[in-house]
């Protein structure tokens, strides 16, 4: 059910492959998606609306107005409703209409109104598919950011065999899943990419150039944009359209122009990938007029072009990542290593013209990524897939660079967390992974802005996240328990008062060194960051409850939302009802109206009690004793709630300190009575208070 709750508009056009749409709808529904089918009039010749409405559980839309009552089928609303649109099968005609904006049916009008990503699965005869018109239209759709699901090679309706068969429904669903679960590792980063050849003018009609088409560099630019980066693409003379709407393209012709653009833009970028095949030399003199044939031999004197990579290598700051390419024909690795060092690159992508299917012009490439620590060889792949490998390498280095060269003066945020990993139970495993995880987590918790408020350095809430790692394997899977503890200073004292403490058991997550830790409220795929965000909001919420009566609702509700959304994760720690002290129940109990007395207690205890104690010990303690009645009230409202018991547990030492030495006998007895009723398991601690009453 990986597509649970996703809203999909499925556009079906008039192709024999329309019969596969029935299977596609079934698979999408099986994955938990809501599917709204839109058919072009021609598609109804191939499959009936009845089949599709039965499978999707929704009436199929086809006309602008409904025949029965004339109601408008709003393409605009569908464009806003959908999480994705798939056009499958997509005929040459519909692809052409989409490329040119010919909105003469509901499918194309919906496409033009679509706010969500669009996937297009072409289906047609091989010659139609290969025709430059179709190919150009597909390029146009790509340049709009649409995802083209390439047709497969096989037998076609025409009984010819070739490329044009619509991809199988399973593969289309997989594309969709890949998209929804794709890495977005470059969000917030700016990446410079150079691509294509340069042309060095000899005279007005001739130039020195090379065979680069720009395909490799454009694929890298597209992948960076797909992963959320802002991309600046400096392109030599190529005939490719800009492959993604989020790319800013700067067209140049010569190496000098490329040099000027790249050196100007690099300082504002976090990374650069230099894929262009830059001419090393240019004619010293460019003739104004066409050079006439005279002698049998002629000589053109060349002068060196600036080396863009080497210049950026000199400019590079510690927190920037610089990657280059090496196109070699011999001594490949030695040459690549020499370029890596000479140009001060962080890594270099080697492709050799000796490898079939690699290098210029072709749609595939075979590369080896080399950095100072080693190298990794990759198989022959499409340039899109090679780009994915390169960008994933790049994003890992970017995290390291940001991490190692983070400005030491971080801005004060809400939490001042210490993360500890107790790994004694898994000794002998790769400890680098633990160190990196600890540092990444510390950075994630401390540098994220969890609220829109400004916290001064001294206002930050001190908290400890202590993981006891019970299991770890090299694929990055962890099993642990976690102790979360948060406290804040008591006004005018050196004493810290605990505001939340909880031990969480059986946590499972995966983490590979340098995985980017990020969290968005609607994406809980990363169990680790969802968990940390949950506790961050609880800590902030409890802290705000201690500052003002019920002051933390906004953030406690965020924690509740995460717990609600996370209940579908396989991890039982989130599930309501699985035990009475799981994460969900802890927050759900606290936010329940019956717990209002406890929330008021959190405020009165800290602000009126502990803070008063600084000036007037007796007065402050009396306020706290009165607060105990609020605790009792909360307990009586919901005797089974775990949160009241939890509160007595993490405040236990504080209570013992407060009452062991000060306070009247009846006061102490009353307190012990309440605490023992709520939490008899801590009787040893309450006995200490009881005994002090007789001193
Ligand atoms: O565009 P395609 O048809 O898809 O082909 C892709 C490609 C083969 C062009 C690409 O994969 C590739 O290998 N690009 C680099 C080609 C090249 O010029 O390599 P090089 O070994 O000569 O240069 C080494 C590095 O220095 C490159 O990153 C290059 O961009 C850079 N360089 C070179 C010369 C120069 N004056 N300035 C530079 O920045």
């Amino acid at each position: 059910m990986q597509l649970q709750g996703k809203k999909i508009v499925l556009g079906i056009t008039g192709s024999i492959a329309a019969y596969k749409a029935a299977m596609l709808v079934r698979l999408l529904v099986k994955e938990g998606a809501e599917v709204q089918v839109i058919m072009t009039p021609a598609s109804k010749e191939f499959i009936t609306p009845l089949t599709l409405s039965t499978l999707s559980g929704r009436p199929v839309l086809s006309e602008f107005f409904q025949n029965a009552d004339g109601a408008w089928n709003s393409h605009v609303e569908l464009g806003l409703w959908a999480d994705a649109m798939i056009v499958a099968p997509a005929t040459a005609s519909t692809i052409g209409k989409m490329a040119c904006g010919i909105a003469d049916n509901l499918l194309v009008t919906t496409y033009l109104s679509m706010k969500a990503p669009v996937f297009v699965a072409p289906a047609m005869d091989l010659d139609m598919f290969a025709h430059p018109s179709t190919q150009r239209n597909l390029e146009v759709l790509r340049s709009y950011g649409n995802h083209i699901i390439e047709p497969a090679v096989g037998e076609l309706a025409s009984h010819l065999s070739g490329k044009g068969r619509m991809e199988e429904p399973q593969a289309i669903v997989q594309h969709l899943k890949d998209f929804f679960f794709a890495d977005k590792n470059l969000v917030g980063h700016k990446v410079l990419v150079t691509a294509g050849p340069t042309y060095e003018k000899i005279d007005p009609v001739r130039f020195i150039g090379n065979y680069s088409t720009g395909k490799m560099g454009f694929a890298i630019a597209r992948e960076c944009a797909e992963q959320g980066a802002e991309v600046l693409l400096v392109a030599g003379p190529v005939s490719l359209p800009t492959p993604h709407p989020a790319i800013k393209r700067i067209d140049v012709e010569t190496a000098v122009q490329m040099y000027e653009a790249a050196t100007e833009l690099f300082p504002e970028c976090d990374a650069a990938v230099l894929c262009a095949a830059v001419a090393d030399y240019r004619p010293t003199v460019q003739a104004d007029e066409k050079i006439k044939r005279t002698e049998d031999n002629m000589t053109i004197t060349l002068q060196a072009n600036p080396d863009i990579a080497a210049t950026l290598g000199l400019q590079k700051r510690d927190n920037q990542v610089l990657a280059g390419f090496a196109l070699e024909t011999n001594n490949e690795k030695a040459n690549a290593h020499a370029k890596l060092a000479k140009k001060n690159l962080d890594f270099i992508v080697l492709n050799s013209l000796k490898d079939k299917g690699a290098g210029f012009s072709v749609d595939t490439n075979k590369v080896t990524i080399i950095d100072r620590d080693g190298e990794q060889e990759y198989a022959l792949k499409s340039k899109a897939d090679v780009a994915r490998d390169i960008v994933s390498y790049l994003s890992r280095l970017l995290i390291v660079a940001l991490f190692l060269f983070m400005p030491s003066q971080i801005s004060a945020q809400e939490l001042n967390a210490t993360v500890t990993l107790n790994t004694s139970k898994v000794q002998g495993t790769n400890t680098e992974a633990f160190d990196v995880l600890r540092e990444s987590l510390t950075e994630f918790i401390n540098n994220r802005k969890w609220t829109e408020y400004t916290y001064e350095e001294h206002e930050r809430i001190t908290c400890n996240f202590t993981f006891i790692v019970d299991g770890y394997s090299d694929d990055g899977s962890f099993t642990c328990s976690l102790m979360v503890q948060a406290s804040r200073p008591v006004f005018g004292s050196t004493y810290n008062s605990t505001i939340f403490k909880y031990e969480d058991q059986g946590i499972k997550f995966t983490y590979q060194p340098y995985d980017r830790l990020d969290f968005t409220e609607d994406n809980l795929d990363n169990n680790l960051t969802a968990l940390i965000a949950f506790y961050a909001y609880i800590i902030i919420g409890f802290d705000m409850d201690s500052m003002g009566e019920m002051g933390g609702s906004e953030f406690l509700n965020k924690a509740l939302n995460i717990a609600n959304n996370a209940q579908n994760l396989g991890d039982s720690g989130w599930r309501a009802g699985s035990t009475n002290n799981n994460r969900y129940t802890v927050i759900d109990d606290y936010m329940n109206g019956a717990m209002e007395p406890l929330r008021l207690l959190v405020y009165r205890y800290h602000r009126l009690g502990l803070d008063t104690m600084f000036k007037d010990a007796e007065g402050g303690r009396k306020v706290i004793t009165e607060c105990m009645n609020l605790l009792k009230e909360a307990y009586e409202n919901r005797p089974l709630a775990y949160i009241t018991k939890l509160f007595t547990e993490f405040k236990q030492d504080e209570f013992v300190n407060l009452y062991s030495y000060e306070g009247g006998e009846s006061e102490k007895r009353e307190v012990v009575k309440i605490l023992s009723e709520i939490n008899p398991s801590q009787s040893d601690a309450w006995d200490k208070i009881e005994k002090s009453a007789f001193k």
Side-chain angles (χ1 to χ4, degrees):
M1 299 284 270
Q2 283 182 295
L3 298 176
Q4 183 67 40
K6 292 274 184 265
K7 299 182 178 74
I8 313 290
V9 167
L10 173 62
I12 302 173
T13 72
S15 152
I16 185 70
Y19 77 91
K20 292 187 189 172
M23 176 58 87
L24 183 53
V25 174
R26 270 197 64 187
L27 291 175
L28 290 168
V29 170
K30 218 170 139 198
E31 287 288 349
E34 288 177 51
V35 183
Q36 175 60 62
V37 175
I38 302 181
M39 300 181 78
T40 61
S43 68
K44 295 184 197 165
E45 305 287 336
F46 297 91
I47 184 166
T48 69
L50 182 62
T51 307
L52 296 163
S53 62
T54 309
L55 289 171
S56 66
R58 286 168 163 264
V60 165
L61 303 178
S62 181
E63 310 300 331
F64 289 108
F65 294 93
Q66 283 172 28
N67 289 337
D69 55 6
W72 186 42
N73 289 325
S74 172
H75 53 91
V76 180
E77 273 173 26
L78 282 170
L80 294 169
W81 172 82
D83 294 310
M85 178 175 187
I86 310 173
V87 184
T91 56
S93 160
T94 294
I95 290 169
K97 287 181 187 176
M98 288 163 72
C100 301
I102 300 171
D104 64 353
N105 62 40
L106 186 66
L107 191 156
V108 183
T109 46
T110 305
Y111 166 72
L112 294 179
S113 307
M114 189 50 60
K115 297 276 180 245
V118 178
F119 296 78
V120 180
M124 63 197 78
D125 184 59
L126 76 161
D127 292 320
M128 288 174 83
F129 183 71
H131 195 278
S133 159
T134 310
Q135 288 304 314
R136 193 200 55 220
N137 287 332
L138 286 171
E139 276 311 321
V140 171
L141 295 188
R142 278 195 190 96
S143 74
Y144 298 156
N146 299 166
H147 302 258
I148 310 301
I149 302 175
E150 288 291 324
V153 176
E155 195 184 335
L156 303 164
S158 58
H159 301 299
L160 295 171
S161 189
K163 188 169 179 176
R165 275 172 70 95
M166 184 181 95
E167 190 48 286
E168 292 306 318
Q170 287 84 347
I172 296 176
V173 171
Q174 192 54 49
H175 271 274
L176 208 61
K177 287 188 197 168
D178 289 348
F179 171 81
F180 282 121
F181 300 106
D183 294 336
K184 291 273 183 230
N185 289 330
L186 295 180
V187 174
H189 290 299
K190 204 183 229 187
V191 182
L192 169 71
V193 179
T194 66
T198 61
Y199 286 178
E200 310 299 328
K201 227 170 161 187
I202 299 170
D203 68 16
V205 296
R206 303 179 182 94
F207 59 83
I208 297 173
N210 59 62
Y211 297 113
S212 171
T213 54
K215 285 179 184 171
M216 188 68 252
F218 274 52
I220 292 169
R222 179 185 166 104
E223 182 59 28
C224 289
E226 292 277 337
Q227 294 215 21
E230 198 183 331
V231 181
L232 305 174
L233 172 61
V234 180
V238 294
S239 56
L240 299 175
T242 310
H244 194 282
I247 295 175
K248 185 173 170 219
R249 174 172 176 169
I250 300 103
D251 285 306
V252 297
E253 189 173 289
T254 66
V256 169
Q257 288 167 355
M258 189 172 274
Y259 169 85
E260 280 165 0
T263 48
E264 186 186 329
L265 297 171
F266 186 53
E268 66 190 72
C269 295
D270 302 302
V273 184
L274 307 177
C275 183
V278 186
D280 284 319
Y281 293 93
R282 66 179 183 277
T284 310
V285 178
Q286 283 106 47
D288 290 336
E289 305 295 341
K290 184 178 172 193
I291 299 171
K292 298 279 178 295
R293 181 185 171 120
T294 48
E295 314 286 322
D296 277 353
N297 294 316
M298 79 169 281
T299 303
I300 299 174
T301 310
L302 301 177
Q303 74 179 86
N305 270 327
D307 189 324
I308 304 168
T311 310
L312 299 191
L314 284 174
Q315 276 186 6
K316 186 165 82 88
R317 297 187 304 268
D318 285 341
N319 60 356
Q320 285 178 306
V321 175
L322 183 60
F325 267 71
L327 177 64
E328 305 296 339
T329 54
N330 62 318
N331 281 339
E332 289 93 336
K333 288 198 174 157
N335 289 340
H337 274 283
K339 286 176 186 171
L340 176 78
K342 188 172 155 218
K343 300 180 189 226
N344 190 24
L345 304 172
D346 293 296
F347 69 91
I348 193 157
V349 183
L350 165 66
N351 43 186
S352 167
L353 289 189
K354 275 193 190 153
D355 287 321
K356 205 164 170 286
F360 290 130
S361 310
V362 283
D363 290 324
T364 50
N365 208 354
K366 183 172 184 322
V367 303
T368 304
I369 297 185
I370 301 174
D371 65 20
R372 284 186 182 78
D373 297 325
E375 54 190 55
Q376 189 167 347
E377 285 187 28
Y378 295 84
L380 182 74
K381 297 179 177 183
S382 70
K383 282 187 173 164
D385 286 342
V386 172
R388 210 157 293 137
D389 291 334
I390 294 169
V391 171
S392 108
Y393 210 86
L394 174 76
S395 60
R396 252 178 289 153
L397 289 196
L398 259 175
I399 293 175
V400 181
L402 286 178
F403 199 46
L404 293 180
F405 303 104
M406 217 166 28
S408 54
Q409 197 58 43
I410 55 156
S411 57
Q413 293 301 347
E414 300 82 357
L415 304 180
N416 181 8
T418 307
V419 177
T420 312
L421 249 67
N422 181 334
T423 55
S424 53
K425 291 190 196 164
V426 286
Q427 260 171 7
T429 41
N430 173 9
T431 54
E432 190 206 342
F434 303 140
D435 292 342
V436 178
L437 172 60
R438 195 192 57 247
E439 287 170 45
S440 301
L441 266 178
T442 312
E443 209 251 349
F444 172 70
I445 302 169
N446 286 338
N447 288 3
R448 193 183 157 94
K449 238 183 141 351
W450 297 101
T451 72
E452 76 274 19
Y453 304 112
T454 307
Y455 276 57
E456 298 297 330
E457 192 80 39
H458 69 274
E459 290 171 334
R460 299 175 80 187
I461 311 162
T462 307
C463 45
N464 298 312
F465 289 80
T466 307
F467 288 87
I468 315 275
V469 182
D470 295 317
Y472 169 74
S473 64
D474 286 343
D475 64 357
S477 49
F478 282 79
T479 327
C480 8
S481 57
L482 168 67
M483 175 61 86
V484 185
Q485 201 240 357
S487 59
R488 63 154 50 262
V490 176
F491 173 69
S493 78
T494 52
Y495 175 70
N496 270 319
S497 173
T498 304
I499 50 173
F500 183 74
K501 189 169 165 186
Y502 181 68
E503 193 179 340
D504 199 331
Q505 306 279 358
I507 295 164
K508 289 193 174 70
F509 60 86
T510 53
Y511 176 81
Q512 293 285 3
Y514 309 118
D515 275 357
R516 187 185 167 93
L517 291 183
D518 208 352
F519 169 77
T520 50
E521 245 119 290
D522 51 358
N523 182 359
L524 301 180
D525 296 339
N526 187 329
N527 203 8
L528 174 62
T529 52
L531 188 83
I532 296 288
F534 173 73
Y535 285 120
Y537 288 135
I538 286 199
I539 291 169
I540 292 166
F542 268 74
D543 186 54
M544 289 193 176
D545 266 5
S546 82
M547 299 282 182
E549 288 189 6
M550 319 269 284
S553 297
E554 182 188 347
F555 298 99
L556 292 163
N557 275 324
K558 281 182 188 250
L560 184 61
N561 261 346
I562 295 174
N564 267 326
N565 293 340
Q567 281 199 61
N568 292 330
L569 294 177
D571 178 351
S572 63
W574 291 106
R575 237 171 275 141
S578 55
T579 64
N580 82 334
N581 64 347
N582 65 7
R583 285 161 230 156
Y584 174 86
T585 319
V586 166
I587 182 68
D588 189 52
D589 274 350
Y590 190 63
M591 296 306 283
N592 189 300
M595 279 307 127
E596 256 184 43
L598 179 67
R599 296 189 61 189
L600 289 178
L601 155 72
V602 168
Y603 167 67
R604 292 195 194 157
Y605 181 108
H606 289 89
R607 279 302 139 260
L608 307 179
L610 290 180
D611 284 358
T612 309
M613 206 171 267
F614 165 66
K615 295 173 265 154
D616 168 12
E618 182 77 5
R621 199 199 59 250
K622 283 204 169 126
V623 174
I624 291 174
T625 303
E626 280 163 26
C627 283
M628 287 297 175
N629 292 319
L630 289 170
L631 183 62
K632 187 172 168 214
E633 199 184 326
Y635 172 72
E636 283 168 358
N637 285 352
R638 260 165 82 93
L640 292 180
Y642 179 63
I643 189 74
T644 37
K645 193 164 170 249
L646 181 67
F647 183 79
T648 61
E649 261 162 42
F650 67 70
K651 285 288 188 193
Q652 185 200 96
D653 291 345
E654 209 164 286
F655 292 152
V656 172
N657 280 337
L658 266 169
Y659 292 105
S660 290
Y661 306 104
E662 305 287 342
E665 196 182 312
S666 60
E667 183 184 354
K668 292 181 185 192
R669 292 239 159 110
E670 187 53 32
V671 168
V672 169
K673 197 166 152 226
I674 295 171
L675 292 173
S676 305
E677 192 181 354
I678 297 175
N679 196 344
S681 68
Q682 305 297 309
S683 56
D684 285 355
W686 315 146
D687 279 353
K688 285 186 196 157
I689 303 178
E690 176 92 41
K691 279 185 194 135
S692 74
F694 295 107
K695 276 186 190 164

